Amino acid sequence: MTAPAESYEWAGPSLDQSFDFLKRAIVVRQWEALHAISSLCDSGYGHFGVTLLRPAYEELIWLKYLHSVPSTAPRVTQLLATRGVFRSITQQAEYLGMDTMKQLGWTPSAVSNSARKLEEENAELKAIGNSLGWRKTPPTFKWLSEKVGHADEYNYIYHATSSFVHFSPHELHRRVWGRHGHVIIGSSSFTDYWEDFAAYWSTNTFIQTVVEVGDVLSFDDKENDFVLDIIKALYPVPIITTAEVQAWSEPRT
């Protein structure tokens, strides 16, 4: 069903295909992430699959938003993509210095042109953003989620995944399990739970993404029903359990 996203032919300027490239790349990347999560589970490291959830969810929300502004979506996509390239070049030059950049094949003129293009494209993106009501450029993910009606899900998913990609004493303490005076520290206590969480939300997000890019995949009615049946069969996994908040008995003092 996802095969149409993996091969694409077109006529005309390549730059005009930026949005179509983006949609197909999102489907393929999320499909690969599902396989990566499955492989992590098979090898006993499924808990790290949660780190793959946030980019997939951001892709879904951005797709929904871009589809809500169809007249500007292609140009916004182009600007975000090329802006990322120019920003990477300038950041790399700033960190490595021009001597190292030259060794890597970057000429001073290429670096300076990238810095100039970055300023130009930032200005154009800001102008477009102003016309769309962005509060900052590019818009915050929270703002995007609110615009597409996913504010509650955003709060839930972002809180859950933040503990995996940022410093989190709560998440670290989940690895401490036992009784007063003796604990075992490791991920094994919550591995099954984390695997379920990663599997559920990665599949849920992927299916929503597939539905969102139906114009790319061109599903027929039978395939649409199959996708809907998968959604109905999924069960949500919570972000906290009752067992982990039950304190062990402390000795009387």
Side-chain angles (χ1 to χ4, degrees), residues 78-93 101 106 110-111 114-115 117-118 121:
Q78 293 170 8
L79 289 170
L80 289 173
T82 53
R83 176 179 176 272
V85 173
F86 296 135
R87 188 177 182 184
S88 294
I89 295 171
T90 55
Q91 289 290 328
Q92 180 170 282
M101 288 292 285
W106 296 96
V111 174
S114 295
K117 289 290 293 182
L118 180 60
E121 302 210 344

Side-chain angles (χ1 to χ4, degrees), residues 41 68 81 89 107 126 177-178 191 199:
C41 292
S68 74
I89 295 171
T107 64
K126 185 174 182 179
W177 208 258
T191 295

Side-chain angles (χ1 to χ4, degrees), residues 173-232:
H173 278 117
R174 281 177 135 181
R175 290 164 168 79
V176 183
W177 208 258
R179 54 180 172 76
H180 182 270
H182 182 263
V183 295
I184 300 296
I185 301 175
S187 299
S188 59
S189 298
F190 269 81
T191 295
D192 291 344
Y193 163 79
W194 281 317
E195 287 181 355
D196 284 349
F197 188 88
Y200 168 75
W201 281 108
S202 60
T203 304
N204 182 297
T205 302
F206 178 70
I207 291 173
Q208 290 189 67
T209 300
V210 163
V211 172
E212 189 64 29
V213 295
D215 58 324
V216 169
L217 300 178
S218 301
F219 286 166
D220 58 30
D221 290 340
K222 182 178 180 181
E223 289 170 323
N224 279 329
D225 290 341
F226 175 69
V227 171
L228 292 175
D229 286 342
I230 295 176
I231 295 176
K232 293 175 183 177

Side-chain angles (χ1 to χ4, degrees), residues 32-248:
E32 292 171 347
L34 283 171
H35 281 278
I37 290 172
S38 178
S39 296
L40 286 169
C41 292
D42 290 341
S43 62
Y45 294 98
H47 43 285
F48 286 109
V50 179
T51 60
L52 300 175
L53 299 182
R54 182 172 291 196
Y57 191 69
E58 290 189 4
E59 290 163 356
L60 170 63
I61 297 303
W62 264 105
L63 276 176
K64 286 180 173 291
Y65 176 72
L66 290 170
H67 279 154
S68 74
V69 289
S71 62
T72 54
R75 185 54 182 161
V76 169
T77 302
Q78 293 170 8
L79 289 170
L80 289 173
T82 53
R83 176 179 176 272
V85 173
F86 296 135
R87 188 177 182 184
S88 294
I89 295 171
T90 55
Q91 289 290 328
Q92 180 170 282
E94 181 178 329
Y95 178 71
L96 297 179
M98 275 312 307
D99 288 341
T100 303
M101 288 292 285
K102 290 177 182 177
Q103 294 175 15
L104 296 173
W106 296 96
T107 64
S109 60
V111 174
S112 61
N113 286 337
S114 295
R116 177 180 55 80
K117 289 290 293 182
L118 180 60
E119 290 184 3
E120 293 175 356
E121 302 210 344
N122 279 338
E124 183 180 352
L125 191 62
K126 185 174 182 179
I128 293 175
N130 288 336
S131 69
L132 295 174
W134 294 359
R135 297 171 184 170
K136 61 177 298 186
T137 304
T140 65
F141 191 64
K142 181 177 182 180
W143 186 88
L144 289 170
S145 299
E146 292 171 349
K147 292 295 289 185
V148 298
H150 279 250
D152 291 342
E153 195 173 69
Y154 157 81
N155 290 328
Y156 188 84
I157 293 296
Y158 251 54
H159 175 77
T161 55
S162 288
S163 61
F164 275 83
V165 297
H166 299 296
F167 172 63
S168 172
H170 165 225
E171 203 61 56
L172 291 169
H173 278 117
R174 281 177 135 181
R175 290 164 168 79
V176 183
W177 208 258
R179 54 180 172 76
H180 182 270
H182 182 263
V183 295
I184 300 296
I185 301 175
S187 299
S188 59
S189 298
F190 269 81
T191 295
D192 291 344
Y193 163 79
W194 281 317
E195 287 181 355
D196 284 349
F197 188 88
Y200 168 75
W201 281 108
S202 60
T203 304
N204 182 297
T205 302
F206 178 70
I207 291 173
Q208 290 189 67
T209 300
V210 163
V211 172
E212 189 64 29
V213 295
D215 58 324
V216 169
L217 300 178
S218 301
F219 286 166
D220 58 30
D221 290 340
K222 182 178 180 181
E223 289 170 323
N224 279 329
D225 290 341
F226 175 69
V227 171
L228 292 175
D229 286 342
I230 295 176
I231 295 176
K232 293 175 183 177
L234 295 175
Y235 63 93
V237 180
I239 61 177
I240 192 168
T241 64
T242 57
E244 67 187 278
V245 296
Q246 295 176 7
W248 53 55

